[in-house]
Amino acid sequence: MILRFQSRNGQFRLTVNPDDEIASILPQVVEKLPEHTITKSITISPKPHGADSRPISALKGVTFARLGLTHGTQVFLDYKEDEPTSNGHSVPANRLNGKDVGDDDVTPLAAAQINGDVQLIKNPWESVKQSTLDDRLDQQDGKIHRKKDEKMCRHGPKGMCDYCMPVEPYNKEYLDEKKIKHLSYHAYLRKVNQGKNKYEQGSSYMPPLSEPYYRVNPQCPSGHQPFPKGICTKCQPSAITLQPQEYRMVDHVEFADSEIINRFLNFWRSSGAQRIGYMYGHYEAYEEVPLGTKAVVEAIYEPPQVNEPDGVTLNDWENEAAIDLLASQCGLQRVGVVYTDLLQPDDPEKTAVCKRHIDSYFLSSLEILFAARHQAKYPRPSKWSDTGRFGSNFVTCVVSGDEQGQIAVAAYQASNSAVEMVRADIIEASAEPSVMLVQDENEENELGRVRYIPEVFYRRINEYGRSVQENAKPSFPVEYLLITLTHGFPLEKKGLFAENRFAIENRSIIGEAQEPRDLQKSLRAGSNRVALDTQQGVEAVSDFHLLCYVASLDILSKDELALLARLSATRDPSLGAQLMHTPGWATLETILQM
C-alpha cells in the first residue's frame, strides 16, 4: 500500500507492507528530509497540528495495520535540525522578492528581548503551578449572595426566589449596581469556562483561556518553510480588532503605609525632578470585587537613575537580582512600578498641575509601551490557559496632579492585546501622547527588515451614535490599550516592616546617602546597642531600605542575610537571638563600633 507523508519540507510517498514495523521505514524517511535532520527527533502523527505524535524510532514492534493506516492515508512528520557549521563563513541568505534575507532581518531586536516561543501545554491544569492565591480563589464558589428583597420576595425566611438567589460573579446587573467597570480575572475565567465547557454534555475539557497571538506562527501545519521563506493563511495572524478589555488581572493597588508614597515624593519636593521606583509587595484577595485580586505594596526600591524635571532615564541596575532575592526572602515580589509626573503650579493653594485628564490623556503611548514590556516580563502562571500563562499581575502607578490640583496616585495596566502587540513589535509611541502608532510594513522593508504586520482595526461611536469600525493605521487612541485600577490606603497601618526611616538608596544627588553612621544610629552600635532578641531590637532592623544597605556591604553570608530578611519580615525575637550569635553579625557590629 502507499502512504502519503507531509512535512514542512514538502510531501512524498512510500510503498509499505501493512505488516511491516513502522520503525523500519526510518532510513527511507531520513533520505526525504533535509540533510541536517536529527534522526531521533523525527515524529509521526495522524493530525496536521502534531497531536498524538510519537518518535518513529520508538515504534519498534508496532505495525502499520495496528495503527489502522490504510492505502492512501496521509500522515504528518515533524523533526528538528542541527545548525549547519559555516566554517567561518556566513550561511547563504534566503531570498524573498529577489532580495537577500538574513536571520537578523527576520525578528526585530526590540521584540526579541521580551519575546519567546509560545508552546501549547497539554493538560496545563496538571503541570502548571499557580500562585497560592489563585489556587485558593479557584476553590471558592464565587457566587454573590443577596439578601431577601422585602418588596419582591413572597417566600418565608428559609425560601429563595429569582430576586434573592445567588448570582454569578460576572452578573452585569450587580456589577453596574456596584459601579464595577471591569470583571476580575477569576470572574472572567468563570464566565469563559461556562461558555466553553459544557459539563452536562460529558465532552472533554478544554482550557478556557487563550492569550492573543499576533505573530507569524513559526510551526505552520501546512508544511512549508518558516517565514520569511514562506507564509500562508494558516500561519499568518488574523486581522486585529481592538476593543476595550472587559476584565483586569489586578483590581486594586493598596499601599500598606501612606509613608511609603510620602517618602517617595520627598525626592520631587527637594529637587523638582521626577523619580521612578519599583514596588515590592504581595497579592491578596480583594473583597470589594467578586473574586478580586489586589496588590499590596510594602516597599519602593529606587534604582540608579538620572532625574530631570520632565522625565527619568534608568541606568544599569547592577544589584537587581540581589534585591529581588532579598525581597523574596522577605516573602515579597516585584508587583509594579511607580513614577512621578509632577509640576509645581503658580497657584499657591494647589500643590500640582493637572496634566492628565479626560481631555488629554491618562497614560501616554510611550508609558503604555513601558508598562506592556514589564507585563510581558512578568507573566501570570495559569493552569486554565493553553500556554500555561495568561496576562500579568504587574501594575503601573503614576503620581501626578488631579483635577483639584492635589497630588494623587493613579494605577493602570496595559491590556493583554497591548502586551502581545509589543511582543510582535506592531505598535510604537507617538509624539502625541494620546495616540499610538501602528508600524508601517513598507517602511520596515525599506530599512531591510522583513516584517508581516497584520491589519489593525478599532470600533468607535461616530457622530450619529452608530458603532463603526475604523482602520487603526497610521494611529489610534491609546484608550483601547489601557486598563484602570483602583488604589487606596488601609485605615490602620499594617505594613510588613515596622520602620521606614532609613535613608533611601541612590539619592546622593539631593544629599541623602546611605552611610555606616545611619546604620550605626539605627542599631545604636556601642555600649547601649539594641539586642536582636528583644522586640525593640527586632523592630530596629525591620526596614526594607536598611536590609538593602546591609546586603550591599557584603559582610553577612547568604544564610545570615536570609536569616536577617526573615527576621525583618516576621519580627520573631527567636530569629534575632539566632542571628546575634553568627560571625557575620558580630563582624558587622565590630565595624560599626570603630
Side-chain angles (χ1 to χ4, degrees), residues 75-87:
V75 293
F76 300 88
L77 299 175
D78 193 15
Y79 55 88
K80 297 180 181 178
E81 296 182 66
D82 274 332
E83 292 293 335
T85 56
S86 58
N87 196 24

Side-chain angles (χ1 to χ4, degrees), residues 106-344:
V106 179
T107 304
L109 180 61
Q113 297 175 353
I114 58 173
N115 188 9
D117 292 335
V118 176
Q119 298 291 338
L120 298 182
I121 300 177
K122 186 177 182 180
N123 299 341
W125 54 88
E126 297 177 354
S127 58
V128 176
K129 184 178 180 181
Q130 296 185 140
S131 66
T132 305
L133 175 62
D134 283 339
D135 287 336
R136 189 166 67 249
L137 290 175
D138 282 341
Q139 296 172 0
Q140 292 184 10
D141 178 73
K143 291 190 176 181
I144 304 167
H145 296 274
R146 299 183 293 176
K147 297 181 180 180
K148 180 181 177 181
D149 193 324
E150 299 297 336
K151 294 182 179 179
M152 306 301 297
C153 295
R154 298 288 183 262
H155 52 76
K158 294 184 179 181
M160 186 179 295
C161 66
D162 291 342
Y163 297 101
C164 61
M165 67 182 296
V167 295
E168 296 291 346
Y170 48 83
N171 182 270
K172 189 177 186 304
E173 295 180 358
Y174 176 84
L175 297 177
D176 291 342
E177 178 185 348
K178 298 296 182 180
K179 297 182 180 180
I180 299 174
K181 185 177 180 181
H182 298 279
L183 293 174
S184 67
Y185 160 67
H186 281 273
Y188 175 73
L189 172 59
R190 306 288 174 92
K191 179 180 179 180
V192 176
N193 187 52
Q194 184 268 342
K196 193 167 188 178
N197 292 291
K198 305 294 183 181
Y199 297 100
E200 63 275 5
Q201 297 179 0
S203 58
S204 59
Y205 185 82
M206 295 183 295
L209 299 178
S210 181
E211 285 197 306
Y213 192 81
Y214 302 148
R215 291 161 278 175
V216 177
N217 185 4
Q219 300 176 350
C220 181
S222 298
H224 61 73
Q225 293 292 317
F227 181 81
K229 296 180 182 179
I231 191 171
C232 69
T233 56
K234 292 183 179 180
C235 61
Q236 71 182 30
S238 303
I240 304 169
T241 301
L242 296 175
Q243 295 179 350
Q245 187 169 292
E246 64 173 321
Y247 62 92
R248 53 191 177 191
M249 304 303 296
V250 176
D251 302 283
H252 184 75
V253 179
E254 179 181 289
F255 294 90
D257 185 2
S258 59
E259 193 64 18
I260 297 174
I261 282 291
N262 189 42
R263 294 196 69 196
F264 178 70
L265 287 174
N266 284 341
F267 184 92
W268 173 76
R269 296 186 179 114
S270 301
S271 65
Q274 310 305 326
R275 192 68 170 170
I276 189 172
Y278 286 101
M279 302 183 293
Y280 286 89
H282 57 275
Y283 298 99
E284 296 180 359
Y286 184 50
E287 304 297 338
E288 300 299 322
V289 175
L291 297 177
T293 302
K294 69 177 178 181
V296 181
V297 181
E298 300 285 357
I300 297 176
Y301 185 90
E302 302 174 13
Q305 55 193 278
V306 177
N307 309 101
E308 299 177 5
D310 59 347
V312 176
T313 302
L314 287 171
N315 292 336
D316 292 337
W317 186 4
E318 297 179 355
N319 65 333
E320 180 178 3
I323 298 300
D324 286 343
L325 177 60
L326 184 64
S328 66
Q329 291 169 343
C330 294
L332 306 177
Q333 58 181 305
R334 200 184 305 191
V335 299
V337 64
V338 58
Y339 52 87
T340 61
D341 182 21
L342 295 166
L343 183 64
Q344 188 71 35

Side-chain angles (χ1 to χ4, degrees), residues 431-502:
E432 176 65 34
S434 62
V435 168
M436 184 73 75
L437 296 178
V438 178
Q439 296 208 22
D440 190 340
E441 189 173 315
N442 295 328
E443 291 182 0
E444 293 291 316
N445 293 338
E446 290 176 1
L447 295 175
R449 297 198 303 176
V450 180
R451 297 289 310 284
Y452 180 84
I453 300 176
E455 293 292 328
V456 183
F457 302 95
Y458 69 96
R459 302 198 68 86
R460 70 176 183 88
I461 304 299
N462 64 7
E463 61 272 19
Y464 304 105
R466 302 287 298 273
S467 176
V468 295
Q469 181 170 281
E470 298 281 354
N471 194 332
K473 292 182 179 181
S475 63
F476 63 93
V478 297
E479 287 79 10
Y480 288 87
L481 306 178
L482 187 62
I483 306 295
T484 58
L485 316 180
T486 59
H487 75 281
F489 301 88
L491 297 177
E492 297 180 3
K493 178 182 176 181
K494 55 177 182 179
L496 181 69
F497 301 103
E499 299 291 344
N500 188 17
R501 301 177 182 178
F502 197 78

